[in-house]
Amino acid sequence: KKICNGWKMRNEYGYVLLLFNHLNKEDLFGTLRGGNENNTGIRKLEVREYVAVGNFDKAPVVDTVLSTQKDEEAFALKIMEKSMAPIFKEGQIIVVSPSTKKKDGDYVVIFDQKNKTVSINKYSKISKNLYLLKALNEESQDIILDQNFHKRHKIKGVVVETFLKYR
């Protein structure tokens, strides 16, 4: 068995077989039982509640997801409110990669060090050296990336994957 390990199958095909109950997780992921990673490139991530106020590093773990992210520092958050809709829905899980380089149009997780709040913003290029972090929520303000940005804010990472679980 151990389909992905033995046949060098691409992860997408393994997911399809798993989805349609042709495989179980042990067959597909092989060595995942003992740790967080295996030779298929799939990692198990703890999902924490996305909280707009406070430090999400201390938020409770509410689920786990399997991710193909190679970033060792990648983390997952579950959107717990409707304020990010329609881009991110309540209950949706996002995987955030701190080491992924930001590109125009990416969604980034921002931590406001002064107010101790967290937001998801769209990273948009305005001109050659000027970027805007566009708020997804009407209650939040857009942020201009200038020389004072890092005194108050910290970009925690780029949203690289999303999942929507129905149960």
Side-chain angles (χ1 to χ4, degrees):
K1 290 201 170 189
K2 293 190 180 61
I3 301 297
C4 282
N5 296 349
W7 293 357
K8 307 268 188 257
M9 182 184 291
R10 293 187 54 190
N11 293 338
E12 304 87 62
Y13 301 124
Y15 275 132
V16 170
L17 292 172
L18 180 66
L19 179 67
F20 291 103
N21 294 320
H22 291 288
L23 292 175
N24 62 37
K25 287 181 185 176
E26 289 75 25
D27 294 336
L28 179 61
F29 304 116
T31 59
L32 189 62
R33 286 184 220 89
N36 220 23
E37 193 172 337
N38 59 55
N39 60 2
T40 64
I42 298 173
R43 296 178 47 226
K44 186 190 253 183
L45 297 176
E46 291 181 337
V47 178
R48 298 190 178 276
E49 286 183 357
Y50 167 84
V51 289
V53 178
N55 190 346
F56 53 76
D57 295 336
K58 301 205 181 346
V61 174
V62 293
D63 204 348
T64 59
V65 292
L66 297 172
S67 172
T68 58
Q69 287 309 304
K70 293 180 171 84
D71 181 358
E72 291 291 321
E73 296 180 24
F75 58 93
L77 300 173
K78 184 173 186 176
I79 307 296
M80 303 301 288
E81 54 188 32
K82 297 177 182 177
S83 67
M84 300 293 164
I87 310 283
F88 299 108
K89 298 170 178 48
E90 183 177 14
Q92 190 169 6
I93 296 168
I94 61 172
V95 175
V96 180
S97 171
S99 68
T100 297
K101 186 174 174 149
K102 300 172 290 303
K103 296 186 305 191
D104 189 30
D106 281 345
Y107 293 99
V108 294
V109 175
I110 307 292
F111 180 65
D112 182 327
Q113 299 173 114
K114 181 179 178 189
N115 295 329
K116 306 289 185 223
T117 58
V118 178
S119 64
I120 301 173
N121 296 58
K122 187 172 185 175
Y123 185 79
S124 302
K125 187 173 188 171
I126 297 174
S127 65
K128 185 177 179 181
N129 293 318
L130 189 61
Y131 289 87
L132 174 72
L133 296 172
K134 178 83 175 130
L136 303 182
N137 161 343
E138 292 177 7
E139 297 171 16
S140 298
Q141 293 182 343
D142 295 345
I143 304 166
I144 294 178
L145 229 65
D146 59 14
Q147 66 273 14
N148 296 319
F149 173 81
H150 294 290
K151 293 178 184 174
R152 180 169 176 171
H153 301 90
K154 179 174 177 154
I155 297 177
K156 298 295 266 182
V158 176
V159 177
V160 291
E161 282 183 298
T162 64
F163 302 91
L164 188 58
K165 291 187 172 184
Y166 294 99
R167 289 184 167 217

